[in-house]
Every structure is written in C-alpha cells, then in structure tokens.
Amino acid sequence: MTKPVLATTSLAGCFGCHMSFLDIDERILELIDLVEFNKSPVDDIKTFTKQCDIGLIEGGCCNSENIEVLKDFRKNCNILVSVGECAIMGGLPALRNGISIKECLEEAYLDGPTVKANTEKIMPNDEELPMLLDMVYPCHEIVKIDYFLPGCPPRADLIWNALVALVTGDELKMPYEVVKFD
Amino acid sequence: MVKKDEKISFEIDGQTCSAWAGQPLLDAAKDNGIFIPSLCHVQGLKPAGSCRICNVNVNGRNMTACTTRVSAGMVVENHTPELNELRKTIIEVLFVSGNHFCPSCEKSGNCELQALGYRYQMMVPRFPYEFPVKGVDARPDLIYHDRNRCIMCKRCVRSITKDGKHVFALNGRGGEHLHVAMDVDLASQLTEAEAQEAMDICPVGAILKKEQGFLVPIGERKYDKAPIGSDIEAQNG
C-alpha cells in the first residue's frame, strides 16, 4: 500500500510549529514509515509534484504570497489542518490588525528607534515583493480548513496524535495537558 | 434573602442537593460539588448575570444560575449537551469579539476564559474574528488596564473601590462604544494589596499588575494540569 502524502508550509509564522513537529523525538523514525513528504521545508521540495493527502499549515495570511501558497495547498491537499495560533487566529502578527499599513511601514522603515541605516528613507516597494494585506487573516477565513490544532506552538504530542489519527482513522487522543492556546 | 435557618432540597441533573433557601443557585451547586461554569460571578458579590455562561435549565426554562435563587423542589439541568454547546458558543463569541492573544498574555494559564475554552474543547471559534480597536491605559503606577481583553463581566466594577469610590465603571452606554473605564486618579492611589486584588478579580488579563509577569512557569499554572471546576467536582467523588 502506498503511504499517505504529507505537505507542510509556514506562512506568517515563526517556524515554531515546525520545530514543535520535530519535537516528536525518536518518533521521527515512525513518521518516515507513516507518511511520504511532498512540498515541505522538512525535505525542501519547493513545488507540489502530486496530489497530497494532508497539508499542515503554520502561520496566518499577512501578504499576497501567503494567500497564493494557501490556495495552492487547498488545491493540492485533500485535508488541510491549521496548526498553531497564527494559522487559527492570526497570532502575534495579528497584533498589527488595529494599526494601519502606513503606520506599520513608517515605524519599521522610517521612524522606529532602531532605524539608523536607512538614511535615504526608502520604503521597500520592489514589484517582486508580495503586497502586505490590510490585516493578518486566520487561514480559515481565506480557504476551507478541515481541522485545527491550537497551541503556541501546539504540543508535539498533539501534532503527532492528530497525524496518526488522520492516517490510521483511529480516534484522536486529546489529553487535557496537550490542548493549550499558548 | 438567604435564609440561614431554612434548609431546602432541590435537584441538579438528578442529584439531590441541599442548600439554604434563597442562596444563589450557582453557589448552592458549588456547595454540593457541582460545577456550573461562570465568568462574571464571584461568591459574595452582587450577581450581575452578564456573561450568561452559567445558563442552566430550571423547571423547563433557561436561566442564569448566578441570579436564580434556589427554592424547594427546584429541578435543574446543568450538564446537558444543549447547555454545554450554548456555553461553548458564548465562549467563542467572547474570543472573537475581543483581542485575545493568549501566547503574549501574562494571564495565560491562569485565565478563566481560556480555561473554559479548554474545558469545552474550543479548537477554533465558529465566528469571524472582529479584531476591534481598543485601548490600553497604563498611567497608574501599579496596574494597567488592557481593554483588548475585557469581557465586560463587571467584576471589577462591582468590587474594586478606593475610599468608597469605584475605580472601574461602565462608560459609553447605548451602543457599540460601551466599555469598562478606569478612573486613573483613583487607580493611581491603589496600594500594592489593592492592585493585586484588582488583578485577581479580573477573570482575564484586562487588569494586570505592572513589573511582574510570567512568574509561574508553563506547566505549573492554575489551569495547566486540570480543567477549571475539577476542584469543585472532586468534592463529589
């Protein structure tokens, strides 16, 4: 039997959820037997090469590239899972949601206390750069998300248990200690 | 109204309970080892009935357990799929209608709203996030008031006073601008103990003491290991 295919990505996140995923310790050997990786930072495959069974999404959507990647994942994955607070509710990047883009950029590139080198007062505006969105959006407000794993990051046991449950069809084990919002 | 000379018996989810006549149902349930969730109720304070999470079914009607007084023969439903779903819905509404960034909040792990999210296994709110714009007032020396996290339970409004004057009050009644406001002058006069009391009365992280935070490590905080209410239920065996 062919193994289920897994893809993962980090959008507006800090890679902490991927780090937590790797925190499954020696179970990483079982993981290799359990799934095959496709597009993911774990194996560095950059583009989808086949239809995947499961896509794990870390991070919310803060720019046009996040939206594009997320929609690509929705198209190429049968099941999408929001992993972590950023994917679920925007997380810490969404702290900027009450502040205008103009103010954010001015603080970052012109007026911030650590801005010293930008003597020519340049704002990044290359057309190659993704456009910032007006707000940071939870993934499920952009595409349909099938499952949610809260935590910052979600505990390794929660990610592992969820993955095993999805692959085997067994009931997901969710002890009280592993479901946390921080 | 509580008659300390008259014991009555009533029923919650089929279990016979006893209480003083006129006792708030929520307190009476607690005395009988039954947890009814709530965010706005504090034993001893005048019940406000503002969070609605303590909704129970009394003799066929949904009522808030904090504002309902027990009477003899009352038949109460508490732990039913319908009521638990209703409570979970309210919790989800509270999460989307404020700015609750658990990972960066000093109250995380000790927060009653978060703890109820855990107890009712909220994985994601079913409503869109509002990301409302709200203010932070950090002018007092010992505390700061973060309205992003305020759930309008009015615990602070009902309890925190300085020289008989209320430090917190509801402001901007009559529409979307309703909020809890802090009297900066009074709040600045709070002693260390009074500041601690203000922080502790808040079920979320809207009132916090300055210059201290994240004192207790993750894993040892109030709701890290056991769900909210499990201490009450433990009395029942």
Side-chain angles (χ1 to χ4, degrees):
Chain A
M1 203 182 90
T2 54
K3 287 188 279 188
V5 186
L6 179 70
T8 76
T9 189
S10 179
L11 306 175
C14 69
F15 264 94
C17 298
H18 274 82
M19 296 305 291
S20 187
F21 185 22
L22 296 179
D23 205 21
I24 56 176
D25 300 330
E26 76 282 2
R27 283 172 292 186
I28 202 160
L29 299 173
E30 290 175 57
L31 179 70
I32 305 301
D33 293 332
L34 193 70
V35 295
E36 169 193 332
F37 274 88
N38 201 268
K39 179 179 160 82
S40 168
V42 174
D43 57 7
D44 212 23
I45 295 181
K46 307 285 192 196
T47 49
F48 284 106
T49 56
K50 59 163 92 166
Q51 184 69 17
C52 299
D53 297 286
I54 302 163
L56 302 182
I57 310 290
E58 169 190 337
C61 292
C62 77
N63 63 28
S64 55
E65 195 245 355
N66 296 153
I67 302 268
E68 203 179 300
V69 173
L70 182 58
K71 285 185 172 169
D72 199 31
F73 262 74
R74 181 69 277 179
K75 206 157 67 180
N76 287 282
C77 301
N78 299 336
I79 295 169
L80 274 195
V81 186
S82 267
V83 181
E85 290 300 304
C86 297
I88 288 173
M89 56 82 65
L92 297 196
L95 282 168
R96 78 157 160 97
N97 282 2
I99 304 165
S100 73
I101 290 285
K102 187 166 180 285
E103 270 183 272
C104 286
L105 288 173
E106 283 171 356
E107 179 72 12
Y109 294 103
L110 303 179
D111 307 329
T114 57
V115 180
K116 291 271 176 6
N118 190 8
T119 47
E120 290 171 58
K121 306 278 180 198
I122 296 169
M123 287 259 211
N125 62 352
D126 194 289
E127 61 184 25
E128 290 285 315
L129 293 174
M131 288 291 284
L132 286 179
L133 304 179
D134 62 334
M135 290 198 331
V136 180
Y137 290 88
C139 291
H140 65 274
E141 294 187 11
I142 306 293
V143 300
K144 163 95 171 81
I145 300 285
D146 301 290
Y147 299 104
F148 301 86
L149 300 177
C152 184
R155 308 297 182 264
D157 284 342
L158 181 63
I159 303 176
W160 174 254
N161 290 353
L163 199 57
V164 170
L166 276 175
V167 170
T168 60
D170 293 341
E171 197 183 338
L172 170 58
K173 291 187 216 89
M174 276 202 309
Y176 178 79
E177 293 83 354
V178 306
V179 182
K180 293 284 179 287
F181 301 159
D182 64 359
Chain B
M1 285 230 274
V2 181
K3 295 179 188 161
K4 281 277 171 86
D5 53 356
E6 188 190 341
K7 271 270 178 186
I8 53 116
S9 64
F10 66 106
E11 197 180 277
I12 300 179
D13 292 336
Q15 180 189 326
T16 305
C17 302
S18 70
W20 301 114
Q23 216 182 342
L25 175 52
L26 204 147
D27 298 343
K30 187 179 174 188
D31 294 345
N32 285 274
I34 294 169
F35 175 65
I36 300 177
S38 164
L39 285 170
C40 68
H41 188 65
V42 174
Q43 211 159 347
L45 287 186
K46 190 182 172 193
S50 60
C51 77
R52 318 308 285 178
I53 285 172
C54 70
N55 247 304
V56 288
N57 191 291
V58 181
N59 299 338
R61 291 176 64 190
N62 278 10
M63 341 248 279
T64 46
C66 64
T67 56
T68 302
R69 293 179 183 277
V70 285
S71 57
M74 209 177 226
V75 178
V76 180
E77 285 181 1
N78 172 39
H79 188 60
T80 68
E82 292 80 8
L83 287 167
N84 286 337
E85 186 59 24
L86 187 66
R87 290 161 181 163
K88 190 178 177 188
T89 311
I90 298 171
I91 293 159
E92 290 174 12
V93 168
L94 289 173
F95 265 97
V96 299
S97 58
N99 293 311
H100 298 281
F101 292 89
C102 294
S104 67
C105 180
E106 293 92 321
K107 199 66 175 257
S108 190
N110 301 310
C111 169
E112 292 176 36
L113 174 64
Q114 185 191 58
L116 286 175
Y118 296 159
R119 182 167 174 123
Y120 291 97
Q121 293 202 321
M122 182 192 82
M123 306 305 268
V124 64
R126 73 198 75 173
F127 308 104
Y129 281 93
E130 284 182 30
F131 296 115
V133 176
K134 296 186 174 184
V136 178
D137 193 337
R139 285 176 289 174
D141 292 337
L142 296 180
I143 59 166
Y144 72 95
H145 186 214
D146 188 344
R147 291 202 286 107
N148 291 290
R149 300 165 182 160
C150 179
I151 54 166
M152 310 280 283
C153 68
K154 297 187 279 189
R155 280 193 196 176
C156 59
V157 173
R158 283 174 285 156
S159 65
I160 305 301
T161 56
K162 183 71 187 174
D163 302 331
K165 289 180 242 171
H166 287 273
V167 180
F168 298 92
L170 276 187
N171 220 331
R173 284 183 191 272
E176 60 194 84
H177 302 297
L178 180 70
H179 64 278
V180 171
M182 173 179 66
D183 186 311
V184 179
D185 291 337
L186 285 176
S188 301
Q189 295 166 31
L190 293 179
T191 63
E192 191 76 24
E194 288 165 338
Q196 186 66 49
E197 191 194 341
M199 175 173 164
D200 292 342
I201 201 83
C202 182
V204 292
I207 304 171
L208 289 170
K209 271 183 84 183
K210 285 184 176 176
E211 295 177 11
Q212 68 163 51
F214 308 106
L215 285 180
V216 183
I218 290 177
E220 292 172 25
R221 300 165 305 180
K222 199 169 175 189
Y223 302 118
D224 277 340
K225 292 205 176 82
I228 187 170
S230 53
D231 51 337
I232 295 171
E233 288 163 336
Q235 302 165 28
N236 226 343

